[in-house]
Amino acid sequence: MGHGGGGALSAELVDGVFAPAFGNPVLAQLADSAVVRLGAARLAFSTDSYVVRPLFFPGGCIGDLAVNGTVNDLAMSGAVPAFLSTAFVLEEGVAMDVVERVAGAVGAAARAAGVTVATGDTKVVESGHGDGVYITTSGIGLVPDGVDIRPQRARPGDAVLVSGPIGLHGVAIMSVREGLEFGVDVASDTAPLAGLVEAMLRVTPDIHVLRDPTRGGLAASLNEIARASGTGVRLTERAVPVPDAVANACAFLGLDPLYVANEGRLVAFVAREHADAVLAAMREHPQGAGAALVGECVEDHPGMVVVSTGLGGTRVVDMPLGEQLPRIC
Amino acid sequence: MGHGGGGALSAELVDGVFAPAFGNPVLAQLADSAVVRLGAARLAFSTDSYVVRPLFFPGGCIGDLAVNGTVNDLAMSGAVPAFLSTAFVLEEGVAMDVVERVAGAVGAAARAAGVTVATGDTKVVESGHGDGVYITTSGIGLVPDGVDIRPQRARPGDAVLVSGPIGLHGVAIMSVREGLEFGVDVASDTAPLAGLVEAMLRVTPDIHVLRDPTRGGLAASLNEIARASGTGVRLTERAVPVPDAVANACAFLGLDPLYVANEGRLVAFVAREHADAVLAAMREHPQGAGAALVGECVEDHPGMVVVSTGLGGTRVVDMPLGEQLPRIC
């Protein structure tokens, strides 16, 4: 299970098995989406499979997740998401009204994100060889001229911005799984982020890095950026927006909110001189109302993420090995 | 299971559930791939999930199938396939060497087809919620100027061409499933068809329709074309190339070769005046060596496919309801 968790074991699978087998320079970028040239167009292209359990959870379902997740991966390259494909693997015996509700959520989320579902596929597997509904979405979008957003572009001195409170998706899933209840209603943050990214790019096309911290949470995303760019990242713990409900749930379960999945948040690396203006633009956008400056990119400890604790100390934020909770997305 | 078979039940699911939920004019084309405009580029975009059982079969495995299938869907729009995405859903406990062999086959098939695997994803589900490996591939490619290939363009008078012997993929899968053996080695025809399509388009850019008759076989593809174009199709039974091994297996199992799946064949509708030249170009290409003129597009019985039998009679070739064999691809 750990190999699917978005942490070190996932990276091992990609670096050790898939990258050598498929080996090519585009794949080697290891960004949320690939940026490729096709004719005169510069395109972002991305894919994700969604196997979240349960199918319906507070704040959303596998349908909106599958749309927003791929829309967000495209947006993390600065692309304007345009077209999606959806491929369903249905388990024999799944109720038709479940399929209809999920399909309805896909359609509604696509309309909300301003993308067109252009093509699709459906396969059915025998009962006991699936889990109701799996969805794989892929997406394409145009990357505007002058935009070059990728993890390798993090630079010492960059401000690290987060678009809002973290941990809500992971805690929402936990709240309905395994009978855990935290006494507070927590809803997934699943949302499309392309509009927020557009607003940020209007301030400056020179955003260095964007990432949506899904599986593995903020910790995995920041570690990936630190490694790809050969820089260090220093977070200020009390600057990271953690809702009380998330803090309480994490304390109860012995988890660190930095490792909990998000589905409607982004982390941005921006040159210091643009940081205040970008942060202001984020806060004016509904998806960035809770945006915060949470740290900086540093020359020290390249490839490593540390957090300054409230007590004046620092601790290392490692890449997660596997996954705190399987099948979070 | 029938809803995944590519026949009438699949069409019901698409028309009744997915199309209304996602509703838009691009999806309504119902071609193997969507043709969309993005910036200055006209692109084909396609996706398919692969759940074939067993993972390895005579002539190939789920890895080459996943590459060739999506490459072929793009080629059926006349596009030059360029980039693929691959999303793996692995079942917990699947042997790592199985994943490595499948990944190796994906890489080799991509190189053979001249496409780049640009991006990917891996999820892991618990044992008992998958079947070793499911793969969803999506692809994009440029559609050359002046090319407009879609099922709606079939015209009475068009020649109907098939690129080679039919039924090999389906019979190869049957031969290793459920302990069926036919005394003859039959290998899947899985192969990339983009090079063949390029050769055909060099004869004339005005190919009307292309389709790769996978699930549901030639019967499903021709019925879809007849319905989309409001024309009829008349096949000549003895002109359809059916290998002896396929004929024998079908006789034994009570199947009709017209309904058996192919993974390396195409059917083309071409204006009569181009048919001989296109057929000659197909036969010069390795993937079209066994190409044949198998019928014509007619004004009679719009939306319906009939076959002239060797005895001078005709019979209707209906849309299949479900699938002769589940999980053929």
Side-chain angles (χ1 to χ4, degrees):
Chain A
M1 293 303 296
H3 285 100
L9 285 171
S10 286
E12 187 183 293
L13 190 64
V14 172
D15 296 346
V17 177
F18 293 122
F22 309 159
N24 65 66
V26 184
L27 193 67
Q29 293 175 2
L30 294 177
D32 284 341
S33 59
V35 176
V36 298
R37 281 204 174 272
L38 201 50
R42 198 158 62 108
L43 299 179
F45 181 29
S46 186
T47 194
D48 264 322
S49 288
Y50 296 85
V51 298
V52 66
R53 192 164 56 81
L55 296 176
F56 301 90
F57 47 80
C61 76
I62 191 171
D64 3 50
L65 209 59
V67 170
N68 291 335
T70 293
V71 161
N72 292 348
D73 281 346
L74 295 172
M76 296 308 114
S77 297
V80 181
F83 297 100
L84 290 191
S85 65
T86 60
F88 284 73
V89 175
L90 304 178
E91 184 184 17
E92 185 185 22
V94 64
M96 200 53 87
D97 77 283
V98 167
V99 178
E100 281 169 8
R101 283 169 65 198
V102 170
V106 166
R111 282 186 292 276
V115 294
T116 299
V117 178
T119 187
D121 182 47
T122 311
K123 293 292 189 319
V124 180
V125 295
E126 300 87 348
S127 177
H129 289 285
D131 209 349
V133 180
Y134 296 151
I135 307 179
T136 302
T137 46
S138 303
I140 52 177
L142 276 181
V143 181
D145 288 339
V147 169
D148 179 21
I149 300 175
R150 52 198 163 85
Q152 290 82 1
R153 289 197 66 222
R155 292 284 172 274
D158 281 359
V160 177
L161 311 175
V162 165
S163 66
I166 65 166
L168 288 166
H169 178 72
V171 169
I173 296 289
M174 291 185 217
S175 77
V176 288
R177 272 246 213 104
E178 331 286 0
L180 297 174
E181 297 279 348
F182 307 112
V184 191
D185 283 345
V186 178
S188 168
D189 58 349
T190 179
L193 296 172
L196 175 62
V197 172
E198 266 186 79
M200 295 166 70
L201 287 171
R202 273 197 294 272
V203 177
T204 170
D206 191 29
I207 307 276
H208 293 170
V209 187
L210 291 173
R211 200 93 173 176
D212 61 332
T214 55
R215 282 183 292 179
L218 199 56
S221 292
L222 292 175
N223 270 281
E224 286 160 2
I225 295 165
R227 283 180 200 190
S229 61
T231 65
V233 175
R234 187 182 299 133
L235 290 181
T236 305
E237 190 161 53
R238 66 198 156 78
V240 178
V242 179
D244 285 347
V246 171
N248 292 341
C250 286
F252 178 74
L253 294 165
L255 300 176
D256 182 335
L258 292 175
Y259 291 88
V260 177
N262 312 275
E263 291 291 341
R265 297 292 175 255
L266 62 79
V267 57
F269 283 54
V270 186
R272 196 66 198 79
E273 68 263 33
H274 297 306
D276 292 341
V278 170
L279 190 59
M282 291 170 78
R283 285 178 174 160
E284 275 172 30
H285 192 279
Q287 299 304 338
L293 172 71
V294 297
E296 59 177 339
C297 186
V298 295
E299 280 187 44
D300 300 342
H301 50 79
M304 195 180 283
V305 180
V306 303
V307 59
S308 311
T309 63
L311 303 171
T314 62
R315 63 182 169 88
V316 172
V317 179
D318 261 339
M319 186 72 171
L321 184 68
E323 194 168 20
Q324 295 180 323
L325 193 70
R327 297 182 52 187
I328 199 86
C329 63
Chain B
M1 294 301 297
H3 284 99
L9 285 170
S10 286
E12 187 183 293
L13 190 65
V14 171
D15 295 346
V17 177
F18 293 122
F22 310 160
N24 63 66
V26 185
L27 193 66
Q29 293 175 0
L30 293 178
D32 284 341
S33 59
V35 176
V36 299
R37 282 203 173 273
L38 201 50
R42 198 159 61 108
L43 299 179
F45 181 30
S46 186
T47 195
D48 264 321
S49 287
Y50 296 85
V51 298
V52 65
R53 191 165 55 82
L55 297 176
F56 301 89
F57 47 80
C61 76
I62 192 172
D64 2 51
L65 209 60
V67 170
N68 292 334
T70 293
V71 161
N72 292 349
D73 281 346
L74 295 172
M76 296 308 113
S77 297
V80 180
F83 296 101
L84 290 191
S85 65
T86 60
F88 285 72
V89 175
L90 304 178
E91 185 185 15
E92 185 185 22
V94 63
M96 200 53 88
D97 77 284
V98 167
V99 179
E100 282 170 7
R101 283 169 65 200
V102 170
V106 167
R111 282 186 292 276
V115 295
T116 299
V117 179
T119 187
D121 183 46
T122 310
K123 294 291 188 322
V124 180
V125 294
E126 300 88 348
S127 178
H129 288 287
D131 209 349
V133 179
Y134 296 150
I135 307 179
T136 302
T137 47
S138 303
I140 51 176
L142 276 182
V143 182
D145 288 339
V147 169
D148 179 21
I149 300 174
R150 51 197 166 87
Q152 291 80 359
R153 290 198 65 222
R155 291 285 172 275
D158 282 359
V160 178
L161 311 175
V162 165
S163 66
I166 65 166
L168 289 165
H169 178 72
V171 169
I173 297 288
M174 290 184 217
S175 76
V176 290
R177 273 247 212 105
E178 332 286 0
L180 297 175
E181 298 279 348
F182 306 112
V184 192
D185 284 346
V186 177
S188 168
D189 58 349
T190 178
L193 296 172
L196 175 63
V197 172
E198 266 187 80
M200 295 166 71
L201 287 171
R202 274 196 293 272
V203 176
T204 171
D206 190 29
I207 307 275
H208 293 170
V209 187
L210 292 173
R211 201 92 172 178
D212 61 332
T214 56
R215 283 183 290 179
L218 200 55
S221 291
L222 292 175
N223 270 283
E224 286 160 2
I225 296 165
R227 284 179 199 190
S229 60
T231 65
V233 175
R234 186 183 300 135
L235 290 181
T236 305
E237 190 161 54
R238 66 197 156 80
V240 178
V242 180
D244 286 347
V246 171
N248 292 341
C250 286
F252 179 73
L253 294 165
L255 301 176
D256 183 334
L258 292 175
Y259 291 87
V260 178
N262 312 275
E263 290 290 342
R265 297 292 174 255
L266 63 81
V267 58
F269 283 53
V270 186
R272 195 68 198 79
E273 68 263 32
H274 297 305
D276 292 341
V278 170
L279 191 59
M282 291 170 79
R283 286 178 173 160
E284 276 171 29
H285 191 279
Q287 299 303 339
L293 172 71
V294 297
E296 59 177 339
C297 186
V298 295
E299 280 187 44
D300 300 342
H301 50 79
M304 194 179 285
V305 180
V306 302
V307 58
S308 310
T309 64
L311 302 171
T314 61
R315 64 182 168 88
V316 173
V317 179
D318 260 340
M319 186 72 172
L321 185 68
E323 192 168 22
Q324 295 179 322
L325 194 70
R327 296 181 55 187
I328 199 86
C329 61

